[in-house]
Amino acid sequence: MSETSDKLEIELVEEPAADLLRVLFDYKPLSGEDVRKLREGLNTEPVLTVRLAECLSRLNPWLDAEGVRRAMANVTRIAAVDTMEANEKAHTALSYGVTVAHADNGRRQDRTVRFFDFDDASANLFEFARQVPIRGSRQDILPDMIIYVNGLPLAVIECKSPALADPMGDALRQFRRYEGRDEFSGLGCPRLFETAQISIALARDVAKYGTTQTPARYWAEWKDPYPFTLDSLASQLGRTPTGQDILLAGLLAPTNLLDLVRNFVMFETIDGRRVKKLARYQQFVAVGRAIDRIRTAVDPKKRGGVIHHTQGSGKSLTMVFLATKLRRLPEAENPTLVIVTDRTDLDDQISAQFKRSGFPNPIQASSGEALREALSSGAGKTVLTTVHKFHSAVPKRSSTISDDPNVFIMVDEAHRTQYGALAARMRAGLPNACMLAFTGTPIDKKDRSTKEVFGDYLHRYLIDQAVKDGATVPIYYEMRDPRLRIHDGRELEQEVRSKFPELTDDEIEKLKRGMRLQEKLAGSKVRIDTIAADILEHYRTTIEPNGFKAQIVTISRDIAVTYIETLRRLGAPECALIMSGSNNDSARLQAYHLSKKDRDDRIARFKKPNDPLKFLVVCDMLLTGFDAPVEQVLYLDAPLREHTLLQAIARVNRTADGKSYGLVVDYWGDNRRITAALDLFSEEDGVLNALRPFTEKVQLLESRHRAAMRLFEGIDRNDEEVCVELLEADDVRAKFELDFQRFSEAMDMILPDPKALEEPYASDLKWLSRLRAVAGRRYRDERFDARPYGAKVGEIITKHLSAEGVEQLLAPRDILDPAFKQHLDSLKTADAKAAEIEHAIKHEIHVHRDQNPAAYASLWEQVEKIVNERREARVSAASALARLQEIADSVAGVRSGRSQTGQGLSGTAGAILPFITGVSEFEGSSDAATDVAKSLEDFAAVVDWQHKEDVQRQMRRSIKERLRLIGMDAASIEAVTAKVMDVARARLAR
């Protein structure tokens, strides 16, 4: 190092670090002579043995000299095969203490010796020394600073001049030499790192930390001086904090340092190698805030909260750290910990994380009965389960498992399943538990009760911050479109009709509506062939040369099978299909069923960088909680949305050597989906202001329950036949359906509060649901089932498709780049405008079609025709845009109720006229529609008419009388009346 760099290092880095420790945290500086005396002149000894002996005697006043000697040997003379094993043994001793024999009144008994007072940081001695020489096996090392607590070196600091080209690289190289590893094998002093828990590199504006043998890419910055704020730290320092100020304040504040050593260090075995992990700042802060709220909440029900840490940033480890600290929390009084997920694979993953981390005795509940047994047989257990097991663990509202307040429930991905009856059973079984929610994706406005149920945010660590910190890699998004063309459209229609001559015209129309045509097109052979070839070319040129792997997400399991077969036929690298299965699957699907062992084996192989398995094809599995750093690209051919889309694309954001980004290649090609998903990141929390008070929700539930059950007052509910006969009349059944839906909606508002499980609500809803199903089967025509015709129609459609290659609609862009979002929002091409207009028209139709069903149905057909032409036949975007604009211009007229029959009626009359003329061209149809509309509008003047059966009965009578006057037959009158009443409810309800 040059003299100038050496001077800058001391003045700009080392001196400010020493001043901060001394002034801010009262660390005592030690001179070289002090260090020599405190380690008895032994330059080979990293521990200040004299100081350690003094502190052991003070912290353990019952300990004699021999006991002190034995306790010290546990951290100064460690028998181990390597530094990592020695460090782990030392950490166990420091965290839990060591056991030594003790004689009390002539009786020998073992007692635990503690090295620190973890409860009172001021009872410990915090010191630091600069330029301490320590003799290694072949040469001395001279760390810039060593942090001692009670004589034990817990942190080693290396300072570098900020003027250097790569100060962090130089510092990390120095640590490798100190540890005597890699290119410096045999040259360092590994003994220093047997007790050292934190390694710190400082260069003023930038500072990073690691721990024993941390690879360079895992060294990280510490960006939160918690419990200081940045403002309060600046006030204490009298200047703007630098990067090294923030790191030192966050890591080496006495309380924080002891907390980190005790609760935030973890050892795991990964690929046969022992690895040490130390918490990142977001994990430490989140756990600290959770513990603070648990300790200080006045209302026990307000002890919980939400931790939102973006996927890939170590959320599972945060749960382990929180569980570890709860175990030691005096206020928790030997807590019971319940870790809840909503998927079996996530349950397995988190269970494996707890076991890998050495967490004591985690129990993975195998069934609801096992769950209940584990939670009811004494406190102090850690139980991992899926939320579904609470169904049998809590069979009814009164089946409380434990009403102890020292039960802590940690729910993973809380926004997905924590609002239904299963979650209500969980709360009923553990009514006084503290609820802590973890989520990897944002809570958006439509997520109606995450924070209402769990509490406010405890901590947020967002995706952009994770990328800045290097905790995850940036994700790039690319949109591609397989250019399909449908030819001989008229022949296609004729072929469908000729293949199924037994079907009526009405059934043919139902067949087309029920065919899930989008999926049929997505799974066509020509389309899959085209995309698979494109995927292989892209993978071989862009991903494979870097040594990374790929995942393909499909819309269905059938299509997933088509992909795997196509890839293999095209000579792809080794690939595997991972999907769920059932006994009812077709022979084609069952041929790809895997046992759990085989599935786990393939997943494990995929995660290994050198294994030849390069592709995973999935449909419904491995979209959440799947951690594979070797995966760099996700090929998306499914219409995933919002949270599910965010969770899927986060599969590629894990860090790995040589991986600078993750990539999503979207073949579904819809910029609106990715825009909506990204919008979640900027959602505000104002939705909570619109939530109904709980008491109001209960009142609503009670009133809607009464309304739904009123029809059956005085009736023997056990006599199902009598109850079903009550629903024979169309109007009665329509009223019953409305009341049932409103009652069900009110139940959904209450869930997951256990109030929803109280009698008679849950049992009555179940009874009404069954009655509704029985009446529906008895009194309604059997629905046309399109499924038996599906495969044949799919074949016909496929025969009429061709592909013109794959077009790149959007070049790869960073999804967090503001310019990317602006690009999506401001696409000005004719194609983008057409998509926007199409979306707007469809939304209009969806929202308002009940008000004018015939008119909106006509619009829908026109839009579908143009969309199919634009997307499948690739007609010019400008042409499609012009025609869509014409339809958009007509929407205003339809919104006013103008009839599509050309007879000039508008409003309610125009909306109901097509139902009358649709039966037959009755003379006076227009006059009849006008008369019916006027009559309905008069009745609708009655307040809340839609909830008053007597008024609705009069309305139906009025409609039928007018229809009889124009000569309509009785069967048609019933059908038309029902449709007209639907229009009235949509248009005239107040």
Side-chain angles (χ1 to χ4, degrees), residues 229-241:
T229 64
L230 288 174
D231 287 341
S232 64
L233 179 60
S235 177
Q236 291 278 341
L237 295 172
R239 55 180 169 78
T240 301

Side-chain angles (χ1 to χ4, degrees), residues 569-677:
R569 175 167 49 81
L570 294 176
E574 185 179 351
C575 46
L577 173 58
I578 305 294
M579 67 178 187
S580 59
S582 78
N583 293 331
N584 294 325
D585 284 345
S586 66
R588 181 173 187 253
L589 291 181
Q590 291 201 26
Y592 289 89
H593 284 188
L594 296 174
S595 66
K596 186 178 185 304
K597 180 179 181 302
D598 288 341
R599 186 169 64 236
D600 290 346
D601 174 67
R602 283 162 174 75
I603 292 171
R605 286 184 55 206
F606 178 78
K607 291 182 177 182
K608 295 176 182 177
N610 296 324
D611 192 282
L613 178 57
K614 303 296 186 183
F615 278 87
L616 287 184
V617 180
V618 304
C619 170
D620 52 0
M621 300 184 73
L622 305 187
L623 296 182
T624 60
F626 179 56
D627 191 359
V630 74
E631 181 181 325
Q632 186 178 25
V633 61
L634 182 140
Y635 297 108
L636 181 61
D637 191 22
L640 304 183
R641 297 183 183 280
E642 297 186 348
H643 289 290
T644 306
L645 178 58
L646 291 178
Q647 289 157 355
I649 66 177
R651 299 311 101 213
V652 297
N653 76 345
R654 275 39 171 189
T655 60
D657 287 330
K659 182 177 174 182
S660 57
Y661 67 93
L663 177 63
V664 176
V665 181
D666 188 354
Y667 289 94
W668 207 260
D670 181 353
N671 64 289
R672 293 185 301 275
R673 288 185 299 112
I674 191 70
T675 302

Side-chain angles (χ1 to χ4, degrees), residues 91-313:
H91 178 263
T92 300
L94 299 180
S95 300
Y96 294 93
V98 296
T99 301
V100 299
H102 171 64
D104 188 9
N105 295 326
R107 295 180 59 191
R108 175 172 169 159
Q109 62 181 34
D110 291 340
R111 293 188 66 173
T112 299
V113 176
R114 56 181 184 157
F115 290 90
F116 309 112
D117 187 336
F118 286 111
D119 298 322
D120 181 7
S122 65
N124 304 282
L125 190 56
F126 291 83
E127 300 168 302
F128 70 92
R130 298 165 64 178
Q131 309 298 327
V132 178
I134 305 176
R135 185 170 299 159
S137 57
R138 293 166 59 182
Q139 61 185 39
D140 287 357
I141 66 170
L142 194 69
D144 289 327
M145 299 178 73
I146 297 179
I147 303 298
Y148 297 98
V149 182
N150 296 345
L152 289 159
L154 293 188
V156 181
I157 300 176
E158 186 63 24
C159 300
K160 292 297 176 186
S161 167
L164 293 174
D166 182 16
M168 287 297 102
D170 288 357
L172 269 57
R173 184 173 183 273
Q174 196 91 314
F175 271 107
R176 290 200 304 275
R177 185 170 72 80
Y178 292 162
E179 292 182 357
R181 62 186 174 93
D182 300 339
E183 70 269 40
F184 300 106
S185 178
L187 300 179
C189 182
R191 284 198 62 213
L192 172 61
F193 297 90
E194 291 180 353
T195 56
Q197 302 301 313
I198 308 175
S199 300
I200 297 173
L202 302 179
R204 193 181 66 178
D205 297 321
V206 62
K208 291 188 176 183
Y209 73 102
T211 188
T212 312
Q213 299 181 357
T214 299
R217 71 183 179 90
Y218 289 119
W219 282 67
E221 297 178 73
W222 190 281
K223 296 188 175 181
D224 191 327
Y226 175 84
F228 284 105
T229 64
L230 288 174
D231 287 341
S232 64
L233 179 60
S235 177
Q236 291 278 341
L237 295 172
R239 55 180 169 78
T240 301
T242 63
Q244 81 173 38
D245 293 331
I246 295 169
L247 181 143
L248 292 173
L251 284 174
L252 299 185
T255 301
N256 287 11
L257 177 56
L258 291 177
D259 196 8
L260 282 160
V261 169
R262 191 185 195 196
N263 298 307
F264 293 90
V265 171
M266 180 184 300
F267 293 84
E268 293 185 10
T269 299
I270 299 177
D271 295 332
R273 188 169 62 91
R274 202 67 174 154
V275 173
K276 181 180 181 181
K277 294 182 178 180
L278 180 64
R280 292 181 181 267
Y281 74 89
Q282 75 272 11
Q283 297 167 326
F284 181 75
V285 175
V287 171
R289 290 183 177 169
I291 295 297
D292 286 345
R293 185 173 294 178
I294 289 167
R295 279 177 162 159
T296 60
V298 177
D299 183 352
K301 293 183 179 179
K302 299 294 178 74
R303 293 178 295 164
V306 178
I307 294 174
H308 168 206
H309 284 188
T310 194
Q311 295 177 81
S313 62

Side-chain angles (χ1 to χ4, degrees), residues 851-853 897 907-917 928-933 936 976 979-981 983-984 987:
Q851 298 179 7
N852 198 335
T908 304
I912 64 178
L913 177 59
F915 298 129
I916 300 176
T917 57
T930 302
D931 291 346
V932 168
L936 293 177
V976 171
K979 292 176 182 178
V980 171
M981 285 298 294
V983 171
R987 297 184 65 90

Side-chain angles (χ1 to χ4, degrees), residues 729-736 949 953 956 960 985:
D730 289 343
D731 54 350
V732 173
R733 203 161 60 251
K735 173 68 165 53
F736 169 77
E949 178 53 35
R953 190 176 294 110
R956 285 191 289 272
K960 292 176 182 178
R985 292 188 186 96

